């Protein structure tokens, strides 16, 4: 997974090379599938024993479904199964269009985030059987119980840590 939001170190976010790489990776399904195929080949050639988690990205429920479908086809073609999957690109739901995510009318930003991430977790878990499902940057601490209920086996939400350090336990000011 190519992280963008909270991972800039030593000015890399301003780097032209970093910006070009991020444009190339983010939501480029063809390139990401090629990287997954190369990963499978490396694992097979080197007889690695790592548990590989394939990152999933999309811009709507349908695009995530299509991407999952393509990865499952790749697994079948390559006779390889990933250990699990990681949902990415959904931590900052402010940028996600309500129409594409079927967000119920009247939902504020916090409810929108809960809706999108929990529904995507549920939809994805239904397609990947008993494999692990990691939610990359769950967005806020309110999501942890929901994503767990809907099938996430792990997440890497840093909001709780940030809230403990900035004094905003309720998460009302998510920009910190």
């Amino acid at each position: 997974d190519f992280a963008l939001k909270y991972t800039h170190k030593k000015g890399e976010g301003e780097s032209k090379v970093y910006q070009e790489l991020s444009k190339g990776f983010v939501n480029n399904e063809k390139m990401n599938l090629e990287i997954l195929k190369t990963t499978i080949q490396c694992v097979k050639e080197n007889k690695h024993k790592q548990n590989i988690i394939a990152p999933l990205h999309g811009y709507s429920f349908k695009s995530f479904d299509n991407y999952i479908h393509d990865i499952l086809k790749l697994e079948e073609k390559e006779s390889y199964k990933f250990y699990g999957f990681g949902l990415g690109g959904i931590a900052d739901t402010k940028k996600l269009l309500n129409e594409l995510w079927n967000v119920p009318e009247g939902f504020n930003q916090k409810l929108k985030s809960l809706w999108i991430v929990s529904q995507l977790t549920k939809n994805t878990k239904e397609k990947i059987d008993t494999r692990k499902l990691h939610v990359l940057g769950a967005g806020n601490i309110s999501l942890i119980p929901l994503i767990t209920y809907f099938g996430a086996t792990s997440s890497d939400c840093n909001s709780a840590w940030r809230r403990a350090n900035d004094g905003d336990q309720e998460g009302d000011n998510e920009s910190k």
Side-chain angles (χ1 to χ4, degrees), residues 130-164:
T130 60
R131 289 189 266 175
K132 303 293 183 188
L133 179 59
H134 181 81
V135 179
L136 296 155
N140 67 57
I141 60 175
S142 305
L143 281 168
I144 295 171
L146 279 173
I147 62 173
T148 301
Y149 176 78
F150 286 122
T153 52
S154 60
S155 71
D156 61 2
C157 174
N158 288 309
S159 294
W161 179 83
R162 287 195 309 275
R163 297 297 77 84

Side-chain angles (χ1 to χ4, degrees), residues 11 28 37 64 78 80 97 120 126 154 157:
N28 185 333
K37 183 177 179 180
F64 270 93
E78 296 293 325
Y80 178 85
L97 300 175
L120 186 59
E126 290 170 355
S154 60
C157 174

Side-chain angles (χ1 to χ4, degrees), residues 33-52 74 78-80 82:
L33 285 170
E34 204 49 46
I35 291 169
L36 288 174
K37 183 177 179 180
T38 301
T39 300
I40 292 170
Q41 291 167 351
C42 288
V43 168
K44 285 178 170 181
E45 288 171 13
N46 297 305
K47 298 182 176 83
H48 291 289
K49 301 290 186 213
Q50 290 93 346
N51 293 325
I52 308 291
L74 175 66
E78 296 293 325
S79 300
Y80 178 85
F82 290 103

Side-chain angles (χ1 to χ4, degrees), residues 9-103:
K9 311 260 188 311
K10 297 181 184 173
E12 68 189 13
E14 290 77 43
S15 162
K16 297 283 185 215
V17 172
Y18 184 86
Q19 290 173 11
E20 287 302 310
L21 282 172
S22 68
K23 282 183 207 171
F25 283 118
V26 177
N27 290 326
N28 185 333
E29 183 180 323
K30 185 177 179 182
M31 182 182 291
N32 283 296
L33 285 170
E34 204 49 46
I35 291 169
L36 288 174
K37 183 177 179 180
T38 301
T39 300
I40 292 170
Q41 291 167 351
C42 288
V43 168
K44 285 178 170 181
E45 288 171 13
N46 297 305
K47 298 182 176 83
H48 291 289
K49 301 290 186 213
Q50 290 93 346
N51 293 325
I52 308 291
I53 293 180
L56 302 172
H57 290 275
Y59 56 88
S60 67
F61 289 126
K62 185 164 181 53
S63 68
F64 270 93
D65 284 349
N66 291 339
Y67 192 41
I68 293 166
H69 175 74
D70 289 346
I71 291 175
L72 295 175
K73 279 188 351 191
L74 175 66
E75 286 182 328
E76 188 176 322
K77 181 180 174 192
E78 296 293 325
S79 300
Y80 178 85
K81 273 192 153 189
F82 290 103
Y83 176 73
F85 297 89
L87 291 176
I90 53 173
D92 186 7
T93 59
K94 292 178 193 113
K95 298 175 185 173
L96 304 179
L97 300 175
N98 289 2
E99 310 80 57
L100 291 176
W101 293 93
N102 305 318
V103 176

